[in-house]
Amino acid sequence: MIVLLLFSVLIFLLFINIPIAISIAVATVVVMVAKTGPQYLVNTALAMYNGAKSFPLIAIPLFILAGAIMNSSGISRRLIAFASACVGFIKGGLSMVTIATSMFFAEISGSAVADASALGSILIPAMKNKGYSPAYAASVVSSASSLAIIIPPSIPMILYAVIAGCSVEQLFVAGFVPGFLGGFLMMAVSYIYAKRKNLPIEESFNIKNIKRTAKEAGLTFILPIIILGGIFGGFVTATEAAGLAVFASLGIAYLYKEFNLKQFFDSTVEGGSQTATVMLLVASSMLLGEFLTMEQIPQKIASSLTTLTQNKYLILAILNVFLFIIGFFLHSAAAIILVVPVVMPLINSLGIDPVHFGIIVTLNLAIGQQTPPVASVLAVACSIAKVDMWTATKVNIIFISVLIFILLLCTYVPIVPMSLVEYFYR
């Protein structure tokens, strides 16, 4: 009965358009007071504070700030110019440029929304001017941007690692193969689409142009070396690497001389706003976690599912369907916070590696960023392209299919995401 009350209050609050972080906190407080009395309120603020001060979570605002600085300092434009020189000669060149740039940008920002906003504002108008349909332009930018949460560093991966109690670094390593495989498959799909629609190339192949754009973007290439090299070399933690990313972004922005105090102020405001949203969700999740622990709901769900079947691959199929449906309605951070604490006892009891499951969760979240009605990343791309989300979705199905294929491959062929983890850590 108490669980029914929790979900009834939560659904009602969401229905009247209360932000999900507040809805989670209020619904949890209501059921806890109903169960234990008003004395529970004394610990509410402390529980939320303790939940949001975890050291790995400090990486989130720092990566967000680094991405915001990149957006304002000319780094994105230089990356696009270099990618255009490298792959712009292929049929449908601008879509190739979009995917290639997103794959590189993903190694720095960790945020799909930041990726879509930074690259979409430049590439979507360019694609429309070249004769690409607005729906296709929005689709390719949106789907390519979701690679940012698969290729490390990834903000959702950090959240998952904190809640699931596994290694952030191992999750990052596990994301490389699925992320780059997804990017290359998207390029193949784009090429086939471009051939059928007779889309133009962006520019002819010119080795001098590649050298020139590489030189102009040279400082930018230092960023992934600092971030990923520091983490995987064992010199810094993911949180410390995020701090280095901020300083490196500021240094590069200064050297490019395209960044001023007003842009820095705007970047910090943007970073602070995004951080507040995520951290409020994290704090609210701690209250929900206390309730779930008290009621032993995760253990009960694990017991009921294992009663149905002991086949871990069948249970993974059930969880994939569940996460896919959740993705229609929840942002990635909210989905992690609501789902992961509930299912982790089941994952552990079946002997499924939490790093492997983390990749499965992340891929589901990437798909959820593309599927309406929420479709947080697709919404950003559609607003730039000035196209209806449902119209874009009809085209975006081809890219969503790529993400679903990668999800199924990683679910049932664990060596795909786990090969590098096994090589470096085990």
Side-chain angles (χ1 to χ4, degrees):
M1 183 62 72
I2 199 74
V3 177
L4 180 61
L5 175 62
L6 171 70
F7 285 104
S8 298
V9 174
L10 182 59
I11 291 170
F12 171 74
L13 292 173
L14 293 175
F15 183 76
I16 62 174
N17 210 29
I18 302 297
I20 188 165
I22 297 173
S23 298
I24 292 171
V26 170
T28 306
V29 168
V30 168
V31 295
M32 292 294 278
V33 168
K35 185 175 181 63
T36 65
Q39 64 268 21
Y40 172 75
L41 295 174
V42 176
N43 296 322
T44 300
L46 184 60
M48 295 182 73
Y49 170 75
N50 287 334
K53 70 174 186 177
S54 173
F55 179 71
L57 291 175
I58 299 173
I60 293 175
L62 293 174
F63 276 128
I64 290 173
L65 179 57
I69 293 169
M70 285 181 59
N71 293 350
S72 305
S73 61
I75 292 176
S76 302
R77 179 178 57 78
R78 285 173 166 81
L79 286 177
I80 290 169
F82 175 68
S84 180
C86 290
V87 298
F89 66 94
I90 304 173
K91 197 74 171 175
L94 267 180
S95 56
M96 299 287 183
V97 170
T98 300
I99 296 167
T101 308
S102 290
M103 291 169 69
F104 188 88
F105 199 90
E107 296 177 12
I108 304 167
S109 72
S111 168
V113 172
D115 196 338
S117 177
L119 303 182
S121 60
I122 301 172
L123 287 166
I124 288 176
M127 279 191 275
K128 290 169 69 175
N129 290 336
K130 290 283 187 177
Y132 292 71
S133 71
Y136 180 77
S139 297
V140 70
V141 166
S142 177
S143 294
S145 296
S146 282
L147 297 172
I149 70 167
I150 304 170
I151 299 172
S154 163
I155 290 172
M157 282 184 183
I158 295 170
L159 272 178
Y160 172 88
V162 170
I163 294 173
C166 66
S167 166
V168 176
E169 286 79 9
Q170 289 186 26
L171 262 177
F172 281 1
V173 170
F176 272 113
V177 174
F180 281 101
L181 182 58
F184 292 136
L185 287 177
M186 284 185 187
M187 285 185 175
V189 168
S190 296
Y191 178 75
I192 294 169
Y193 184 91
K195 292 284 285 185
R196 290 181 176 177
K197 298 292 184 178
N198 196 30
L199 296 175
I201 64 170
E202 174 59 12
E203 58 182 77
S204 59
F205 183 79
N206 187 327
I207 192 67
K208 291 183 179 179
N209 196 28
I210 293 177
K211 291 179 179 178
R212 178 183 60 80
T213 55
K215 183 177 179 181
E216 290 177 354
L219 292 174
T220 303
F221 302 143
I222 297 173
L223 283 170
I225 295 173
I226 291 173
I227 298 169
L228 302 179
I231 293 172
F232 302 138
F235 301 108
V236 295
T237 65
T239 304
E240 292 162 345
L244 287 175
V246 173
F247 281 107
S249 298
L250 283 172
I252 292 171
Y254 174 77
L255 292 172
Y256 281 153
K257 300 186 185 305
E258 296 183 14
F259 194 63
N260 54 42
L261 287 176
K262 183 182 183 304
Q263 290 172 316
F264 179 69
F265 176 77
D266 292 341
S267 297
T268 54
V269 169
E270 179 187 344
S273 176
Q274 292 185 44
T275 300
T277 302
V278 174
M279 299 307 280
L280 184 57
L281 269 169
V282 172
S284 299
S285 75
M286 295 302 113
L287 292 178
L288 180 63
E290 282 194 8
F291 169 74
L292 295 174
T293 301
M294 182 183 296
E295 295 297 309
Q296 293 190 320
I297 292 173
Q299 290 80 0
K300 292 174 182 176
I301 291 175
S303 177
S304 61
L305 276 177
T306 51
T307 300
L308 291 174
T309 177
Q310 292 287 331
N311 188 317
K312 67 178 182 180
Y313 292 108
L314 181 57
I315 289 178
L316 284 175
I318 295 170
L319 291 176
N320 271 331
V321 172
F322 175 66
L323 288 165
F324 181 77
I325 294 171
I326 286 289
F328 284 109
F329 306 104
L330 294 179
H331 293 280
S332 56
I336 290 172
I337 285 163
L338 285 173
V339 173
V340 172
V342 175
V343 301
M344 281 314 297
L346 173 62
I347 296 303
N348 293 328
S349 68
L350 292 171
I352 298 171
D353 193 310
V355 174
H356 178 211
F357 185 65
I359 295 299
I360 293 172
V361 170
T362 303
L363 285 164
N364 272 290
L365 297 177
I367 295 167
Q369 291 176 338
Q370 309 302 320
T371 50
V374 173
S376 55
V377 178
L378 182 62
V380 172
C382 286
S383 67
I384 297 171
K386 295 180 174 56
V387 64
D388 177 71
M389 185 185 293
W390 296 101
T391 302
T393 299
K394 294 176 183 177
V395 179
N396 200 26
I397 287 173
I398 58 175
F399 296 110
I400 294 173
S401 299
V402 170
L403 292 173
I404 291 174
F405 171 76
I406 298 297
L407 168 64
L408 294 176
L409 184 66
C410 289
T411 300
Y412 296 111
V413 188
I415 195 63
V416 172
M418 297 300 292
S419 55
L420 293 179
V421 178
E422 294 289 340
Y423 180 79
F424 287 111
Y425 293 98
R426 298 174 185 179

